[in-house]
Amino acid sequence: MEAAGIELVLATSKHNVRYLLGDYSLFFAHFDAVGVDRFLPAVGYPRGDSGRAFAIASELETWQHEVSPPWTSTVVDGCQTSAETVREAGRLIDSLGLAAATTGVEKAFFPAAALDELQRAFPEARFVEASGLLEELRTIKRPDELELLRDASERIVESMVAAVEGARPGTTTSEIAERLRSEEVSRGLDFEYCLITAGSSLNRAPSQAPWLEGGILSLDSGGNLNGYIGDLCRMAVLGEPEPLHVQLLGEVQAIQDAARSAIRAGVRGAEIYEHALGERNNCRHGKHASFVAHGIGLVTHEAPRLTDKGPIRYPASHAERPLEPGMVLSVETDLKVPGVGFVKLEDTIAVTDDGYEAYGDGARDWITVDV
Amino acid sequence: MEAAGIELVLATSKHNVRYLLGDYSLFFAHFDAVGVDRFLPAVGYPRGDSGRAFAIASELETWQHEVSPPWTSTVVDGCQTSAETVREAGRLIDSLGLAAATTGVEKAFFPAAALDELQRAFPEARFVEASGLLEELRTIKRPDELELLRDASERIVESMVAAVEGARPGTTTSEIAERLRSEEVSRGLDFEYCLITAGSSLNRAPSQAPWLEGGILSLDSGGNLNGYIGDLCRMAVLGEPEPLHVQLLGEVQAIQDAARSAIRAGVRGAEIYEHALGERNNCRHGKHASFVAHGIGLVTHEAPRLTDKGPIRYPASHAERPLEPGMVLSVETDLKVPGVGFVKLEDTIAVTDDGYEAYGDGARDWITVDV
């Protein structure tokens, strides 16, 4: 905060409020709309003065906070809307003598109306972007965070195995996705999404498309445990895989394993890509392959950033910086082979001093389902 | 829109994007964070010109839109972040010749950074609040929306009955809440929350508190079906209810039934309160009673607004206006009796021409669980 000249951080995103408090509203875990406004939680953290940090939530969190009190000395549980949150935050900022402070906010997670109101209330304050700073805090995971990511990953893979088990020729991808959702929830996960393909289709949305005998199936799903997201992809086949299918998954495994072999503390992030892309060149179907690796935690794509390519176009902050123990990576390789199908593995890898630990690392070969 | 002088609506909230398109991203159904930015869907609707409406989503929605194409003539599925959405929206606004238009936005659901960027791109445009206008559109539900609300309500009540069935003396409120979550999900619902009390406690957060023999239990839960929220509360007892418990739930039922008896098209919204509060005065424990009634649909508290009292403090737009067929109300009465416990019913009531229809109206008496 000092380097950024920030005197107060006012966090309002779900992930950073959860990170700073260690907990989040159970009531507003999914939705946030209330009338024509929205619930807006907030955590205020004055630089170098955690004793005067504050938390703002709604009346509904009163009970949750009674059961499990937040660590901040000030907790205000009476703000159901962003208008109320901003009024209360203003009162607290004033009482801290920070009316003219440089205040770090998350501008993608601060409603326009609420930030306008705060700026009007404190015309001398300067509101600057603090999302990068907050993300940096989250880059290295604590042991309890690693535990949650491990558990989430394991439960997702178990759920995938269970979800395909009951399938029969003709079961639709919607039905399997729905079954997966139930399996994850019954294991205590908060289900997020399922991308799924069946047969030779490259369309990954759940649909009425049937899974047929001999057809391959990709299951890519995210689910969280206390906000910490597991995100993995596994492959199944209804019957036995054809030799070409075995070959393709073998190539995906080879690329994934090449990437993994590079991972340990001290290695530059870019080396992971160098290993993976080197192996891709050895693969018969390498021209169909996509590879991506990125940090994961409370957000599906977060620091460390190993590349500025791929779906999330951010600066590659860790391409030339060394990996550190406690970083967690999602490593993904897919082959989109026209006429054959979509073959993918996605693994969760925690960086350790002397290598890595893979979370939820089962079922990386073909999951075969008896016809 | 004409009355409000709005030439273009640019909706960005989950509920209004879903309302205008009839669908929402499966991938971003719960979370929206992506890196240090967020996914921001958008629907643009130029006044009187639905043929030029547009929808903006991320690359991940490409597959979903292939399976089920949106009705708008323009669909852009390449925006993973709010920065990209705003750039694309700007391009489309420009191409529609609306660079200087009065544009209605939802300022509580428009990230500050994104609205700043849009205002910079279009210095002559005027961005005004359109949340009220969009909410008004949603006030009267279509038959397909009513069907979803009916289904969601029924499945929640079924889930509640199933969730308490397996309980034994000592089962905790956390365990029951978790069981309810699974039961709702296995019925196709997207679980939102569970507020729960056991015994004489008035704390409604799931916790390690045990449900004991003879103890009462309140279960208040929301879950949605395609975004449409069912929100009901039912009462259970482990064993048989005591006479006082029977008396208390009887009073809650009497207040609820008084409110319901007022409901039909043409009646002023305030009459519902008048009936309920009149009955409360007849109740022995009336001084412990709270009553609230509000619209429900894609948002848990939405129009019609029958009062400006209660947890959501908005103007009571429908206190003096007549109810109309297709409005859906959530009607809630609770008794918080110190030393005895929390006794509540919450019902979902659709207004019809000649009265009302109650959705998920089972189990309004004590659900008894064998010890």
Side-chain angles (χ1 to χ4, degrees):
Chain A
M1 284 171 76
E2 197 162 345
I6 292 175
E7 298 164 80
L8 170 74
V9 163
L10 188 63
T12 52
S13 69
K14 216 177 252 196
H15 47 284
N16 283 322
V17 165
R18 188 190 282 276
Y19 182 75
L20 293 171
L21 291 182
D23 202 4
Y24 192 79
S25 166
L26 289 171
F27 192 84
F28 292 106
H30 293 171
F31 72 92
D32 49 27
V34 171
V36 292
D37 200 340
R38 53 160 288 177
F39 168 64
L40 186 73
V43 176
Y45 196 107
R47 185 167 77 202
D49 195 359
S50 61
R52 299 203 297 166
F54 60 81
I56 302 176
S58 88
E59 280 158 315
L60 290 161
E61 280 72 53
T62 314
W63 301 305
Q64 194 178 335
H65 289 163
E66 215 175 278
V67 171
S68 171
W71 61 268
T72 53
S73 59
T74 302
V75 179
V76 181
D77 283 333
C79 300
Q80 188 92 317
T81 61
S82 72
E84 290 170 329
T85 296
V86 154
R87 234 173 351 255
E88 191 59 33
R91 203 184 57 75
L92 291 164
I93 288 170
D94 223 9
S95 76
L96 291 170
L98 293 169
T102 298
T103 300
V105 296
E106 305 173 79
K107 291 192 181 177
F109 297 93
F110 214 118
L115 192 54
D116 272 2
E117 195 173 321
L118 207 55
Q119 183 72 79
R120 264 196 305 274
F122 300 117
E124 291 175 53
R126 211 161 61 89
F127 294 96
V128 302
E129 187 55 71
S131 295
L133 178 80
L134 286 162
E135 191 191 52
E136 185 131 357
L137 286 179
R138 304 197 320 266
T139 310
I140 314 273
K141 272 71 180 172
R142 299 181 310 264
D144 61 303
E145 295 180 285
L146 293 173
E147 201 56 52
L148 288 166
L149 288 166
R150 180 193 289 111
D151 275 6
S153 302
E154 284 170 0
R155 295 185 200 182
I156 286 170
V157 173
E158 284 168 22
S159 300
M160 286 175 170
V161 173
V164 295
E165 242 169 25
R168 294 286 164 266
T171 301
T172 66
T173 56
S174 264
E175 287 167 337
I176 297 167
E178 192 58 19
R179 174 80 186 274
L180 178 62
R181 193 170 77 98
S182 276
E183 294 288 346
E184 290 187 15
V185 169
S186 73
R187 286 170 176 78
L189 291 167
D190 192 5
F191 171 88
E192 297 282 6
Y193 55 83
C194 171
L195 298 172
I196 184 169
T197 61
S200 62
S201 172
L202 303 178
N203 184 312
R204 302 176 71 200
S207 73
Q208 294 312 305
W211 192 17
L212 300 175
E213 193 170 339
I216 62 172
L217 186 94
S218 72
L219 266 181
D220 188 341
S221 178
N224 80 72
L225 214 46
N226 292 3
Y228 288 84
I229 298 164
D231 176 10
L232 294 103
C233 187
R234 294 294 180 257
M235 297 299 304
V237 59
L238 201 50
E240 289 298 321
E242 292 172 22
L244 177 57
H245 296 146
V246 173
Q247 163 75 23
L248 292 173
L249 186 52
E251 293 182 21
V252 169
Q253 286 164 347
I255 296 170
Q256 288 287 95
D257 292 347
R260 289 158 72 137
S261 72
I263 298 176
R264 67 177 177 284
V267 157
R268 288 177 309 120
E271 282 189 48
I272 300 174
Y273 272 76
E274 290 156 14
H275 276 69
L277 300 181
E279 181 61 32
R280 186 176 66 174
N281 293 336
N282 298 332
C283 288
R284 203 187 306 167
H285 301 85
K287 68 172 179 184
H288 299 299
S290 302
F291 174 81
V292 66
H294 54 85
I296 188 165
L298 286 169
V299 174
T300 52
H301 285 69
E302 63 178 31
R305 303 189 193 293
L306 313 173
T307 180
D308 54 5
K309 295 178 186 66
I312 312 300
R313 293 166 285 273
Y314 289 117
S317 54
H318 282 80
E320 300 306 324
R321 277 162 65 190
L323 297 179
E324 295 179 55
M327 288 179 170
V328 179
L329 307 177
S330 180
V331 178
E332 327 182 29
T333 302
D334 71 55
L335 287 170
K336 289 182 243 352
V337 188
V340 179
F342 184 79
V343 180
K344 175 173 178 178
L345 288 178
E346 178 167 6
D347 297 318
T348 302
I349 311 286
V351 180
T352 63
D353 282 315
D354 54 357
Y356 65 85
E357 192 185 341
Y359 294 161
D361 214 35
R364 291 178 79 237
D365 216 324
W366 286 105
I367 304 169
T368 57
V369 179
D370 291 341
V371 182
Chain B
M1 284 172 76
E2 196 161 347
I6 292 175
E7 298 164 80
L8 170 73
V9 162
L10 188 62
T12 52
S13 69
K14 217 175 250 195
H15 47 282
N16 283 323
V17 165
R18 188 189 282 277
Y19 182 74
L20 293 172
L21 290 183
D23 202 3
Y24 192 80
S25 167
L26 290 171
F27 191 84
F28 291 105
H30 294 170
F31 72 92
D32 48 27
V34 171
V36 293
D37 199 341
R38 54 159 288 177
F39 168 65
L40 186 73
V43 176
Y45 197 108
R47 185 167 75 202
D49 195 359
S50 62
R52 298 202 299 164
F54 60 82
I56 302 176
S58 88
E59 280 159 315
L60 289 160
E61 281 71 54
T62 315
W63 301 305
Q64 193 178 336
H65 289 164
E66 215 175 277
V67 171
S68 170
W71 63 266
T72 54
S73 59
T74 302
V75 179
V76 180
D77 284 331
C79 301
Q80 187 92 318
T81 62
S82 72
E84 291 171 330
T85 297
V86 154
R87 237 175 347 258
E88 192 58 35
R91 203 183 59 74
L92 290 164
I93 289 170
D94 222 10
S95 76
L96 292 170
L98 293 169
T102 297
T103 301
V105 296
E106 304 173 77
K107 291 190 182 179
F109 297 92
F110 214 119
L115 192 55
D116 272 1
E117 197 174 320
L118 207 56
Q119 182 71 77
R120 265 196 305 276
F122 300 116
E124 292 175 53
R126 212 161 60 89
F127 295 96
V128 301
E129 187 55 72
S131 296
L133 178 78
L134 286 162
E135 191 190 54
E136 184 132 358
L137 286 179
R138 304 198 319 267
T139 310
I140 313 273
K141 273 69 179 172
R142 299 181 309 264
D144 60 305
E145 295 179 286
L146 293 173
E147 199 58 50
L148 287 165
L149 288 165
R150 179 193 290 114
D151 275 6
S153 303
E154 284 170 1
R155 294 185 200 183
I156 286 170
V157 172
E158 285 168 20
S159 300
M160 287 175 169
V161 173
V164 295
E165 243 171 27
R168 294 285 164 266
T171 301
T172 67
T173 55
S174 264
E175 288 167 337
I176 297 166
E178 192 57 19
R179 173 80 186 275
L180 178 63
R181 194 170 77 97
S182 276
E183 294 288 348
E184 289 186 15
V185 169
S186 73
R187 286 170 176 79
L189 290 167
D190 192 4
F191 171 87
E192 297 284 6
Y193 56 82
C194 170
L195 298 172
I196 184 169
T197 61
S200 62
S201 173
L202 303 178
N203 185 312
R204 302 175 72 199
S207 74
Q208 295 311 305
W211 191 18
L212 300 175
E213 194 170 337
I216 63 172
L217 187 93
S218 72
L219 266 180
D220 188 341
S221 179
N224 79 73
L225 214 48
N226 293 3
Y228 288 84
I229 298 164
D231 176 9
L232 295 102
C233 187
R234 295 293 181 257
M235 298 299 303
V237 59
L238 202 49
E240 289 297 322
E242 292 172 22
L244 176 57
H245 295 146
V246 173
Q247 162 75 23
L248 292 173
L249 186 52
E251 292 182 22
V252 169
Q253 286 164 346
I255 296 170
Q256 288 287 96
D257 292 348
R260 289 158 73 137
S261 72
I263 298 176
R264 66 178 180 284
V267 158
R268 288 177 310 120
E271 282 188 49
I272 299 174
Y273 271 75
E274 291 158 12
H275 276 68
L277 300 181
E279 181 61 32
R280 185 176 66 175
N281 294 337
N282 298 334
C283 289
R284 203 187 308 166
H285 300 85
K287 68 173 177 183
H288 299 299
S290 301
F291 174 82
V292 63
H294 54 84
I296 189 166
L298 287 169
V299 174
T300 52
H301 285 70
E302 62 177 33
R305 303 187 195 294
L306 313 174
T307 179
D308 52 8
K309 296 180 186 64
I312 311 301
R313 292 168 286 274
Y314 289 116
S317 56
H318 282 81
E320 300 306 325
R321 278 161 64 189
L323 297 178
E324 295 178 55
M327 288 180 171
V328 179
L329 307 177
S330 180
V331 177
E332 327 182 29
T333 302
D334 71 55
L335 288 170
K336 290 183 247 341
V337 188
V340 179
F342 184 79
V343 180
K344 174 173 177 177
L345 288 178
E346 179 168 6
D347 298 318
T348 301
I349 310 286
V351 180
T352 62
D353 281 316
D354 53 357
Y356 65 86
E357 190 183 344
Y359 293 160
D361 214 35
R364 290 177 80 237
D365 216 323
W366 287 103
I367 304 169
T368 57
V369 179
D370 291 342
V371 182

mmCIF file with all atom_site columns, all heavy atoms in Angstrom, chain B residues 252-265:
data_model
loop_
_atom_site.group_PDB
_atom_site.id
_atom_site.type_symbol
_atom_site.label_atom_id
_atom_site.label_alt_id
_atom_site.label_comp_id
_atom_site.label_asym_id
_atom_site.label_entity_id
_atom_site.label_seq_id
_atom_site.pdbx_PDB_ins_code
_atom_site.Cartn_x
_atom_site.Cartn_y
_atom_site.Cartn_z
_atom_site.occupancy
_atom_site.B_iso_or_equiv
_atom_site.pdbx_formal_charge
_atom_site.auth_seq_id
_atom_site.auth_comp_id
_atom_site.auth_asym_id
_atom_site.auth_atom_id
_atom_site.pdbx_PDB_model_num
ATOM 1   N N   . VAL B 1 252 ? -49.796 -17.149 13.216  1.00 0.00 ? 252 VAL B N   1
ATOM 2   C CA  . VAL B 1 252 ? -49.090 -16.789 11.974  1.00 0.00 ? 252 VAL B CA  1
ATOM 3   C C   . VAL B 1 252 ? -49.975 -17.101 10.763  1.00 0.00 ? 252 VAL B C   1
ATOM 4   O O   . VAL B 1 252 ? -50.122 -16.281 9.846   1.00 0.00 ? 252 VAL B O   1
ATOM 5   C CB  . VAL B 1 252 ? -47.744 -17.550 11.878  1.00 0.00 ? 252 VAL B CB  1
ATOM 6   C CG1 . VAL B 1 252 ? -47.135 -17.396 10.488  1.00 0.00 ? 252 VAL B CG1 1
ATOM 7   C CG2 . VAL B 1 252 ? -46.771 -17.047 12.942  1.00 0.00 ? 252 VAL B CG2 1
ATOM 8   N N   . GLN B 1 253 ? -50.607 -18.280 10.808  1.00 0.00 ? 253 GLN B N   1
ATOM 9   C CA  . GLN B 1 253 ? -51.507 -18.652 9.705   1.00 0.00 ? 253 GLN B CA  1
ATOM 10  C C   . GLN B 1 253 ? -52.661 -17.656 9.582   1.00 0.00 ? 253 GLN B C   1
ATOM 11  O O   . GLN B 1 253 ? -53.049 -17.270 8.474   1.00 0.00 ? 253 GLN B O   1
ATOM 12  C CB  . GLN B 1 253 ? -52.076 -20.059 9.931   1.00 0.00 ? 253 GLN B CB  1
ATOM 13  C CG  . GLN B 1 253 ? -51.064 -21.175 9.679   1.00 0.00 ? 253 GLN B CG  1
ATOM 14  C CD  . GLN B 1 253 ? -51.513 -22.512 10.265  1.00 0.00 ? 253 GLN B CD  1
ATOM 15  O OE1 . GLN B 1 253 ? -52.443 -22.569 11.071  1.00 0.00 ? 253 GLN B OE1 1
ATOM 16  N NE2 . GLN B 1 253 ? -50.828 -23.584 9.865   1.00 0.00 ? 253 GLN B NE2 1
ATOM 17  N N   . ALA B 1 254 ? -53.183 -17.236 10.717  1.00 0.00 ? 254 ALA B N   1
ATOM 18  C CA  . ALA B 1 254 ? -54.328 -16.309 10.695  1.00 0.00 ? 254 ALA B CA  1
ATOM 19  C C   . ALA B 1 254 ? -53.934 -14.981 10.050  1.00 0.00 ? 254 ALA B C   1
ATOM 20  O O   . ALA B 1 254 ? -54.694 -14.403 9.261   1.00 0.00 ? 254 ALA B O   1
ATOM 21  C CB  . ALA B 1 254 ? -54.851 -16.092 12.121  1.00 0.00 ? 254 ALA B CB  1
ATOM 22  N N   . ILE B 1 255 ? -52.744 -14.496 10.387  1.00 0.00 ? 255 ILE B N   1
ATOM 23  C CA  . ILE B 1 255 ? -52.285 -13.229 9.793   1.00 0.00 ? 255 ILE B CA  1
ATOM 24  C C   . ILE B 1 255 ? -52.027 -13.421 8.291   1.00 0.00 ? 255 ILE B C   1
ATOM 25  O O   . ILE B 1 255 ? -52.447 -12.599 7.462   1.00 0.00 ? 255 ILE B O   1
ATOM 26  C CB  . ILE B 1 255 ? -51.020 -12.713 10.525  1.00 0.00 ? 255 ILE B CB  1
ATOM 27  C CG1 . ILE B 1 255 ? -51.351 -12.380 11.984  1.00 0.00 ? 255 ILE B CG1 1
ATOM 28  C CG2 . ILE B 1 255 ? -50.454 -11.483 9.810   1.00 0.00 ? 255 ILE B CG2 1
ATOM 29  C CD1 . ILE B 1 255 ? -50.137 -12.089 12.868  1.00 0.00 ? 255 ILE B CD1 1
ATOM 30  N N   . GLN B 1 256 ? -51.379 -14.529 7.941   1.00 0.00 ? 256 GLN B N   1
ATOM 31  C CA  . GLN B 1 256 ? -51.126 -14.814 6.524   1.00 0.00 ? 256 GLN B CA  1
ATOM 32  C C   . GLN B 1 256 ? -52.451 -14.924 5.758   1.00 0.00 ? 256 GLN B C   1
ATOM 33  O O   . GLN B 1 256 ? -52.586 -14.381 4.660   1.00 0.00 ? 256 GLN B O   1
ATOM 34  C CB  . GLN B 1 256 ? -50.359 -16.143 6.371   1.00 0.00 ? 256 GLN B CB  1
ATOM 35  C CG  . GLN B 1 256 ? -48.915 -16.105 6.804   1.00 0.00 ? 256 GLN B CG  1
ATOM 36  C CD  . GLN B 1 256 ? -48.033 -15.341 5.828   1.00 0.00 ? 256 GLN B CD  1
ATOM 37  O OE1 . GLN B 1 256 ? -47.782 -14.149 6.046   1.00 0.00 ? 256 GLN B OE1 1
ATOM 38  N NE2 . GLN B 1 256 ? -47.582 -15.978 4.770   1.00 0.00 ? 256 GLN B NE2 1
ATOM 39  N N   . ASP B 1 257 ? -53.408 -15.628 6.367   1.00 0.00 ? 257 ASP B N   1
ATOM 40  C CA  . ASP B 1 257 ? -54.672 -15.853 5.663   1.00 0.00 ? 257 ASP B CA  1
ATOM 41  C C   . ASP B 1 257 ? -55.464 -14.556 5.528   1.00 0.00 ? 257 ASP B C   1
ATOM 42  O O   . ASP B 1 257 ? -56.147 -14.334 4.526   1.00 0.00 ? 257 ASP B O   1
ATOM 43  C CB  . ASP B 1 257 ? -55.486 -16.932 6.381   1.00 0.00 ? 257 ASP B CB  1
ATOM 44  C CG  . ASP B 1 257 ? -54.808 -18.309 6.251   1.00 0.00 ? 257 ASP B CG  1
ATOM 45  O OD1 . ASP B 1 257 ? -53.862 -18.428 5.434   1.00 0.00 ? 257 ASP B OD1 1
ATOM 46  O OD2 . ASP B 1 257 ? -55.198 -19.244 6.972   1.00 0.00 ? 257 ASP B OD2 1
ATOM 47  N N   . ALA B 1 258 ? -55.330 -13.688 6.531   1.00 0.00 ? 258 ALA B N   1
ATOM 48  C CA  . ALA B 1 258 ? -55.999 -12.391 6.433   1.00 0.00 ? 258 ALA B CA  1
ATOM 49  C C   . ALA B 1 258 ? -55.407 -11.594 5.273   1.00 0.00 ? 258 ALA B C   1
ATOM 50  O O   . ALA B 1 258 ? -56.136 -10.970 4.487   1.00 0.00 ? 258 ALA B O   1
ATOM 51  C CB  . ALA B 1 258 ? -55.839 -11.621 7.751   1.00 0.00 ? 258 ALA B CB  1
ATOM 52  N N   . ALA B 1 259 ? -54.085 -11.627 5.160   1.00 0.00 ? 259 ALA B N   1
ATOM 53  C CA  . ALA B 1 259 ? -53.432 -10.920 4.049   1.00 0.00 ? 259 ALA B CA  1
ATOM 54  C C   . ALA B 1 259 ? -53.893 -11.500 2.717   1.00 0.00 ? 259 ALA B C   1
ATOM 55  O O   . ALA B 1 259 ? -54.275 -10.773 1.793   1.00 0.00 ? 259 ALA B O   1
ATOM 56  C CB  . ALA B 1 259 ? -51.919 -11.048 4.180   1.00 0.00 ? 259 ALA B CB  1
ATOM 57  N N   . ARG B 1 260 ? -53.900 -12.817 2.640   1.00 0.00 ? 260 ARG B N   1
ATOM 58  C CA  . ARG B 1 260 ? -54.272 -13.474 1.393   1.00 0.00 ? 260 ARG B CA  1
ATOM 59  C C   . ARG B 1 260 ? -55.710 -13.167 0.998   1.00 0.00 ? 260 ARG B C   1
ATOM 60  O O   . ARG B 1 260 ? -56.015 -13.031 -0.198  1.00 0.00 ? 260 ARG B O   1
ATOM 61  C CB  . ARG B 1 260 ? -54.074 -14.991 1.530   1.00 0.00 ? 260 ARG B CB  1
ATOM 62  C CG  . ARG B 1 260 ? -52.602 -15.378 1.574   1.00 0.00 ? 260 ARG B CG  1
ATOM 63  C CD  . ARG B 1 260 ? -52.366 -16.727 2.232   1.00 0.00 ? 260 ARG B CD  1
ATOM 64  N NE  . ARG B 1 260 ? -52.791 -17.833 1.389   1.00 0.00 ? 260 ARG B NE  1
ATOM 65  C CZ  . ARG B 1 260 ? -52.083 -18.955 1.221   1.00 0.00 ? 260 ARG B CZ  1
ATOM 66  N NH1 . ARG B 1 260 ? -50.918 -19.123 1.837   1.00 0.00 ? 260 ARG B NH1 1
ATOM 67  N NH2 . ARG B 1 260 ? -52.527 -19.919 0.470   1.00 0.00 ? 260 ARG B NH2 1
ATOM 68  N N   . SER B 1 261 ? -56.576 -13.068 1.991   1.00 0.00 ? 261 SER B N   1
ATOM 69  C CA  . SER B 1 261 ? -57.998 -12.864 1.683   1.00 0.00 ? 261 SER B CA  1
ATOM 70  C C   . SER B 1 261 ? -58.230 -11.527 0.971   1.00 0.00 ? 261 SER B C   1
ATOM 71  O O   . SER B 1 261 ? -59.249 -11.329 0.323   1.00 0.00 ? 261 SER B O   1
ATOM 72  C CB  . SER B 1 261 ? -58.830 -12.940 2.961   1.00 0.00 ? 261 SER B CB  1
ATOM 73  O OG  . SER B 1 261 ? -58.608 -11.779 3.750   1.00 0.00 ? 261 SER B OG  1
ATOM 74  N N   . ALA B 1 262 ? -57.272 -10.614 1.112   1.00 0.00 ? 262 ALA B N   1
ATOM 75  C CA  . ALA B 1 262 ? -57.438 -9.300  0.464   1.00 0.00 ? 262 ALA B CA  1
ATOM 76  C C   . ALA B 1 262 ? -56.987 -9.311  -0.992  1.00 0.00 ? 262 ALA B C   1
ATOM 77  O O   . ALA B 1 262 ? -57.289 -8.389  -1.743  1.00 0.00 ? 262 ALA B O   1
ATOM 78  C CB  . ALA B 1 262 ? -56.631 -8.255  1.231   1.00 0.00 ? 262 ALA B CB  1
ATOM 79  N N   . ILE B 1 263 ? -56.263 -10.340 -1.368  1.00 0.00 ? 263 ILE B N   1
ATOM 80  C CA  . ILE B 1 263 ? -55.555 -10.281 -2.656  1.00 0.00 ? 263 ILE B CA  1
ATOM 81  C C   . ILE B 1 263 ? -56.445 -10.643 -3.834  1.00 0.00 ? 263 ILE B C   1
ATOM 82  O O   . ILE B 1 263 ? -57.004 -11.740 -3.907  1.00 0.00 ? 263 ILE B O   1
ATOM 83  C CB  . ILE B 1 263 ? -54.304 -11.209 -2.613  1.00 0.00 ? 263 ILE B CB  1
ATOM 84  C CG1 . ILE B 1 263 ? -53.332 -10.723 -1.524  1.00 0.00 ? 263 ILE B CG1 1
ATOM 85  C CG2 . ILE B 1 263 ? -53.610 -11.244 -3.973  1.00 0.00 ? 263 ILE B CG2 1
ATOM 86  C CD1 . ILE B 1 263 ? -52.113 -11.608 -1.321  1.00 0.00 ? 263 ILE B CD1 1
ATOM 87  N N   . ARG B 1 264 ? -56.583 -9.705  -4.736  1.00 0.00 ? 264 ARG B N   1
ATOM 88  C CA  . ARG B 1 264 ? -57.182 -9.950  -6.056  1.00 0.00 ? 264 ARG B CA  1
ATOM 89  C C   . ARG B 1 264 ? -56.934 -8.712  -6.916  1.00 0.00 ? 264 ARG B C   1
ATOM 90  O O   . ARG B 1 264 ? -56.590 -7.638  -6.401  1.00 0.00 ? 264 ARG B O   1
ATOM 91  C CB  . ARG B 1 264 ? -58.692 -10.250 -5.963  1.00 0.00 ? 264 ARG B CB  1
ATOM 92  C CG  . ARG B 1 264 ? -59.526 -9.099  -5.477  1.00 0.00 ? 264 ARG B CG  1
ATOM 93  C CD  . ARG B 1 264 ? -61.034 -9.423  -5.445  1.00 0.00 ? 264 ARG B CD  1
ATOM 94  N NE  . ARG B 1 264 ? -61.737 -8.229  -4.959  1.00 0.00 ? 264 ARG B NE  1
ATOM 95  C CZ  . ARG B 1 264 ? -61.770 -7.856  -3.692  1.00 0.00 ? 264 ARG B CZ  1
ATOM 96  N NH1 . ARG B 1 264 ? -61.186 -8.578  -2.744  1.00 0.00 ? 264 ARG B NH1 1
ATOM 97  N NH2 . ARG B 1 264 ? -62.408 -6.746  -3.344  1.00 0.00 ? 264 ARG B NH2 1
ATOM 98  N N   . ALA B 1 265 ? -57.072 -8.870  -8.216  1.00 0.00 ? 265 ALA B N   1
ATOM 99  C CA  . ALA B 1 265 ? -56.830 -7.741  -9.115  1.00 0.00 ? 265 ALA B CA  1
ATOM 100 C C   . ALA B 1 265 ? -57.742 -6.575  -8.738  1.00 0.00 ? 265 ALA B C   1
ATOM 101 O O   . ALA B 1 265 ? -58.907 -6.779  -8.385  1.00 0.00 ? 265 ALA B O   1
ATOM 102 C CB  . ALA B 1 265 ? -57.091 -8.175  -10.553 1.00 0.00 ? 265 ALA B CB  1
#
